Amino acid sequence: MTSPVRTVAMLMLALLSFAGNSAAQSTPAPLPAGRIVGRILDASNGTGLTDVGVQIVGTTLGTTSGLDGRFTIQGVPAGTVAIQVRRIGFAPKTVTGIFLDPGATLEQNISLETATVQLVSQVVTASAERGSVNAALDEQRNATGVVNSVTAEQIARSPDSDAAAAAQRVSGVTVQEGKYVSVRGLGERYTTTSLNGARLPSPDPERKVVPLDLFPASLLQSVTTSKTFTPDQPGDFSGAQVNLRTREFPAERQVTYSMSAGYNTRATGQSVLAAPREGMEWLGFAAGPRRLPSVVAAAGNFSTSPSQADYNSMVTSFRNDWSVRQGTGAPNTSMGLSVGGNDPLFGRRLGYVGALTYSSSQEVRTDEVRAYPIPTTDGGTREVDRFEGSTGRASVLWGGLFNVSTLAGTRSRIALNNTFSRTAENEAHYEEGSEENIGFPLQISRLQYSEGMLWSTQLAGEHQLADAHRIDWSVTGSRVTRLVPDRTETIYAIDSPGSAPFLFGSEDGAKRTFADLAEFNYTPSIDYTVRFGGASGDNLVKVGGLGRYTRRDADNPAYGVLANSLPREDRERSAEEIFDGRFAGPGASIYRVVPLSQGGSYDATDWLGAGYGMVEYQAGSRIRLIGGARVEYSMLDINVRETFGRPVTVTKRYTDVLPSAAANIRLTDAQALRLSVSQTLARPEYREVVPINQQDVRGEQFRGNIDLKRTLIQNADLRWEWYPDAGEILSVGIFGKRFEDPIERVYRGTSGTRITTYENAKSAINYGVELEVRKGLGSVASVLAPVTLFSNATFIRSEIDLENVSAGSVESNRAMVGQAPYVVNAGATYANADGGGSATILYNVVGRSVYAASLLPLPSVYEQARHMFDVSLRVPILASLSIKLDGKNLLDSQSRVTQGVATRESYRTGRVISAGVTWRR
């Protein structure tokens, strides 16, 4: 009988033998190593630090940071690791708790504090280091001047579909007409737009400012608004410079696909006005069939009178689309695809991101009203020429980008950035009302199709020549086009109640306008920076130069089609019947075609040369001084060709010295005080100096002023900032501006002719207060830690001296054109700790602002305050799948422009509800 002891011993030996055999047979393979990438940043100013030693603790793995503090460590074992970083002049830091998945790439940026008396080593966790500074606040905190940013993370949590909507969230920013950005209550002329640091040309014939609705929000990494001038920035802004930065490549390969559908309460599924469609409108390529007929173009300005046969041929050559139609509003749709990563190619790593986005929308303007005022004998106004109607617009916006970059060694980086955007709008407008000079009711139909394109390519280089020397350069080419290939307007009159309408027998009764604008912009620039002041390189001297060549060609011929001898019974026909050729047979003499004075063309050549020098000096441990000057020479030549009259040449030459001085004072580790003074300028936009009459789709008449001068602006800013905790800010700022020869949009109205033009006032001042707060609620209760409240408000006042404006103004102390007395943004965000889900509510209101000045005896034109409320929800479903729900313009508040008792323009656009999905892997 076997003893119990022996039995137990035999069982243990068997188990040990089995375990040994199992281990030998199933020893797991080693986990694949990963990669850690990132940047080493100077905590005091946010710049990258080169030659920083970076090492994985407990291993021999390490590297040295290169250009802009970038580093890459290959072959890092999977699991939890720690990184230690060291550089002379800075306190060493160890970052713990970095978890690297097998074979993955992890991005970890690390900031270093300047060493003071002794080198005190810091130990922080990876999560604390990543969350120490919000990306947007990081740029704001470390900027030389007053800067506000909206990042891709914030955009993703909002319902914003384009750059204009995203920029609207920035302190002091106003967006007019859903596309034109103005800052601190100033008109859009005082704001400039850049893409990846290079100026963009404008596709708008009326403005030099770039409409930001051209840029899908999903293509953007950030929208940064610089409100104070430093010499390394272009000098032609006072309100702000808005820089759009396109998306950067991620640390590891990532594919994202998204799609959504939306419902407009006033359009989707309802009867809306619609315009006839042609060709590939869904892609924004439909101008071809709408182009100016060759037989009409060949006649020029009709200096040689065409024959009757020519008139008949011209009429039948026009597209026979004159009238608005009824359609059913389609849902809004959008979709996007992006691919990015960082992969080896030919022995070096190549970062890349490519993206495509497409959206279509149905827009409406309902309850639309427009009218004009005339003065009354008692000093008031009376409304005349009142029309009521609606507008339907089908819009398409699509675009893409492809950005690549690579490091040439550790001290040079070459990048190629490409951006493309295309938009198209097909609009139908109908209104009924009466004009004072006619005396009977009118029915007006307008059709307008427009398409625009923006393309930009930039080759840029960054070179860290040595520890203290750096060169940055770029060459950027941009092109924009805007076509309005066939704008149609017809007017029918009702000569007595209940009678059938007939085609109004004047040159305004049936009009065709053809507009074509193309602009090319070429900009090379170079900057050289040398740092000095010890190991940390706290001080720097920066010099550089820029050249910019711009060429614009704009053509805007307009024609009236007459049928005065057409019998009454035939005038009761639709315009499509009247102009279908039935009255243009051999021997027929019904039609005449006349060129209109509101047409014409011009070409502009604009040269700009600039050079600058600036110094940043660390005066002690807490004061940083910035000073320098920029010199700009501008040369503008415009050749103007009106429909009638002799050609005119406009020439402008200016040499301007633009000084700037600033001081950034670090009151405590979390508080800073910024103050700056500078001089900037604002040049007239091309169209504002071109003496050509032009009419917009609403019937407004415009004419440029050849005598306009550029505006000089003196600026002063003082701002206190407090960063109490990660992602939080409280700031209070005051600013003041003085304008010499400010350009004002002036409305001249009489009972016969109403024209908007532009004039220089003598001077103006603009001053105000900016407040900004962003606060997490974790300090109130732990359960509220995911909630962040934020708000910014700007209160502005301006006064203008109108001594130079002919005939003066009825409001001698009115504000500047475009200036609103206040701009308020507010909201709250709930975000999961892992960032997977969020809910955001957003509110915006802009106070009543001067839309256009007016000469005696009429009052100025005002755009009334409009309240906007949006909500957005992001919910993760799976690790790679999430859904989004958005509500925009939920108050559906009225857009209203008034002048005295007259409603110059009023409409509503409807609430928009959308839902979508996003998939990532």
Side-chain angles (χ1 to χ4, degrees), residues 145-148 170-174 181-187 190-191 225-229 237-240 676 678 715-719 732-737 739 766-770 793-798 816-823 846:
V146 176
V147 167
N148 293 97
V170 173
S171 174
V173 169
T174 306
V181 168
S182 60
V183 179
R184 288 177 167 176
L186 297 172
Y190 300 108
T191 300
T225 305
S226 301
K227 299 178 181 177
T228 56
F229 169 71
F237 81 90
S238 177
S676 68
S678 63
N715 313 278
D717 278 85
L718 176 64
R719 176 157 152 164
V732 179
I734 59 175
F735 62 88
K737 301 177 185 294
F739 298 78
N766 170 275
Y767 52 93
V769 176
E770 284 185 316
T794 306
F795 302 92
I796 318 106
R797 181 177 175 83
S798 65
M816 299 174 66
V817 168
Q819 190 254 296
Y822 59 86
V823 180
V846 180

Side-chain angles (χ1 to χ4, degrees), residues 308 315 491 502-510 560-571 578-579 583 589-594:
Q308 184 60 53
V315 170
I491 302 177
F502 65 94
L503 187 67
F504 189 58
S506 78
E507 62 185 30
D508 289 331
V561 183
L562 305 180
N564 293 340
S565 60
L566 196 66
R568 167 60 189 257
E569 59 272 16
D570 289 320
R571 290 193 181 192
I578 293 173
F579 298 118
F583 304 115
S589 57
I590 297 293
Y591 301 125
R592 277 191 68 219
V593 179
V594 294

Side-chain angles (χ1 to χ4, degrees), residues 892-913:
D892 195 16
S893 50
Q894 186 181 45
S895 178
R896 190 162 177 257
V897 178
T898 63
Q899 186 175 19
V901 300
T903 298
R904 289 290 304 274
E905 184 177 69
S906 175
Y907 58 86
R908 297 182 187 273
T909 58
R911 302 172 177 87
V912 178
I913 310 297

Side-chain angles (χ1 to χ4, degrees), residues 91-93 115-116 118-122:
K93 178 180 280 189
T116 52
Q118 57 183 350
L119 299 180
V120 180
S121 180
Q122 295 177 287

Side-chain angles (χ1 to χ4, degrees), residues 580-700:
D580 65 0
R582 69 183 66 191
F583 304 115
S589 57
I590 297 293
Y591 301 125
R592 277 191 68 219
V593 179
V594 294
L596 303 180
S597 60
Q598 59 199 239
S601 64
Y602 69 92
D603 61 77
T605 303
D606 190 359
W607 294 87
L608 176 72
Y612 75 89
M614 61 182 289
V615 177
E616 294 188 32
Y617 182 75
Q618 192 73 32
S621 60
R622 294 190 177 275
I623 300 177
R624 189 166 187 83
L625 303 176
I626 304 100
R630 184 180 185 90
V631 179
E632 292 193 351
Y633 174 72
S634 60
M635 183 171 63
L636 174 64
D637 295 294
I638 305 179
N639 299 310
V640 183
R641 297 169 295 278
E642 290 191 87
T643 304
F644 308 108
R646 306 179 66 178
V648 177
T649 299
V650 181
T651 301
K652 305 287 182 182
R653 301 284 188 274
Y654 293 106
T655 300
D656 295 290
V657 179
L658 307 172
S660 171
N664 293 342
I665 304 171
R666 190 175 180 184
L667 302 176
T668 67
D669 289 344
Q671 297 184 54
L673 187 68
R674 303 176 188 270
L675 57 123
S676 68
V677 293
S678 63
Q679 176 161 294
T680 56
L681 56 85
R683 300 182 181 92
E685 298 156 11
Y686 303 138
R687 185 62 185 85
E688 293 175 346
V689 297
V690 172
I692 291 178
N693 288 337
Q694 189 170 348
Q695 186 182 61
D696 71 4
V697 72
R698 307 278 176 250
E700 289 277 348

Side-chain angles (χ1 to χ4, degrees), residues 228-303:
T228 56
F229 169 71
T230 53
D232 55 345
Q233 297 175 305
D236 55 343
F237 81 90
S238 177
Q241 175 175 277
V242 178
N243 184 44
L244 310 177
R245 190 154 57 92
T246 53
R247 290 179 54 185
E248 297 178 346
F249 57 86
E252 57 183 340
R253 188 178 302 166
Q254 185 180 91
V255 179
T256 303
Y257 177 75
S258 64
M259 62 184 304
S260 67
Y263 172 85
N264 186 313
T265 57
R266 291 181 178 264
T268 308
Q270 302 188 36
S271 178
V272 297
L273 292 185
R277 301 180 65 87
E278 292 277 358
M280 299 176 64
E281 283 188 22
W282 65 280
L283 276 179
F285 291 98
R290 294 178 163 95
R291 293 278 191 172
L292 176 65
S294 58
V295 64
V296 182
N301 66 351
F302 291 32
S303 56

Side-chain angles (χ1 to χ4, degrees), residues 736-758:
K737 301 177 185 294
R738 184 182 183 278
F739 298 78
E740 298 177 16
D741 301 316
I743 299 171
E744 292 285 283
R745 174 177 170 145
V746 178
Y747 171 76
R748 300 178 181 275
T750 68
S751 60
T753 304
R754 303 178 179 93
I755 292 179
T756 297
T757 186
Y758 306 90

